[in-house]
Amino acid sequence: MSALILALVAGAVVGLALGALGGGGSVLAVPALIYLLGFTPAAATTASLIIVTATSLTALYAHARSGTVRWRVGVLFAAAGLLPAVVAGAAAARLPQPVLTAAFAVVAVLAAVRMLRPGRTDTGRTAVRPVKAAGVGAGLGALTGLLGVGGGFLAVPALVAVLTFEMQAAVGTSLLVISANSLASLATRGATTAGVDWAVIAPFTGAAILGAWDGKRLAAKVSGTLLRRAFAVMLLAVAVFMLVDAVV
């Protein structure tokens, strides 16, 4: 199968996940770039940030039109994560590639397990706790900078469980956080983007953007629980493969 077709298929899956779940697609982008398209782990994390930035901004626009973005909390989350994202992004270039791969796989396993746990339903009326919001936001920023993921797969559960957001608001707000963190992390890797294979990244990103719109529509028709579980199973399989590959 040609690299173009693989990039289009992988991009569509990444976009669907981001549009429907508010995160998680970036956790698939890195392994797809490494194992399907032949990128090194370091190049894959940089390319993933490009893809995630463009796709999350598109999905954010779609959710903003629907009124599901809570801008005040989203800005607080994002602001707390900007500095950690920049610092971690600079550190990522100095880490051995096997370490990046193993760390990414571990995070993916944790994300899959969290998605398989029963969700918490709520009214979304509980007062926001700034300290908790800032703490979670800082952690997500560091994760974004280090591993090239937007952190939405952690932001959505945090917004639901810690700040008692309803699911739709958590998804929309998560996309604001992902966009800000990804832009900050990408800024620290400006020099490394020159070596990115745009012949692969451009179609990957285009398919992801289109997939994000489809994901937004899918989220309105399919149970959120079913979407999360299906994605978690796929993510867990990818993570296990990456861990085995890193060890062996």
Side-chain angles (χ1 to χ4, degrees), residues 45-56:
T45 57
T46 299
S48 173
L49 285 171
I50 296 172
I51 296 163
V52 170
T53 298
T55 308
S56 58

Side-chain angles (χ1 to χ4, degrees), residues 82-101:
L82 290 180
L83 181 58
V86 170
V87 173
R94 297 175 172 82
L95 291 176
Q97 294 187 3
V99 172
L100 283 176
T101 301

Side-chain angles (χ1 to χ4, degrees), residues 70 73 120-128 159-160 163-167 169-170:
R70 295 197 182 178
V73 178
R120 174 178 170 179
T121 57
D122 44 73
T123 63
R125 296 177 184 173
T126 301
V128 172
L159 289 168
V160 172
L163 303 179
T164 65
F165 276 30
E166 49 135 13
M167 187 62 186

Side-chain angles (χ1 to χ4, degrees), residues 213-226:
W213 284 97
D214 290 334
K216 175 65 173 63
R217 289 192 288 266
L218 182 65
K221 299 178 181 179
V222 181
S223 163
T225 300
L226 177 60

Side-chain angles (χ1 to χ4, degrees), residues 23-125:
S26 52
V27 188
L28 286 178
V30 171
L33 289 166
I34 294 173
Y35 296 107
L36 295 181
L37 298 168
F39 281 56
T40 65
T45 57
T46 299
S48 173
L49 285 171
I50 296 172
I51 296 163
V52 170
T53 298
T55 308
S56 58
L57 285 171
T58 301
L60 173 63
Y61 174 73
H63 280 267
R65 290 183 61 189
S66 301
T68 58
V69 180
R70 295 197 182 178
W71 296 96
R72 179 183 170 188
V73 178
V75 169
L76 177 60
F77 255 67
L82 290 180
L83 181 58
V86 170
V87 173
R94 297 175 172 82
L95 291 176
Q97 294 187 3
V99 172
L100 283 176
T101 301
F104 188 95
V106 170
V107 170
V109 168
L110 294 176
V113 171
R114 180 61 186 82
M115 286 183 175
L116 287 172
R117 292 173 59 187
R120 174 178 170 179
T121 57
D122 44 73
T123 63
R125 296 177 184 173

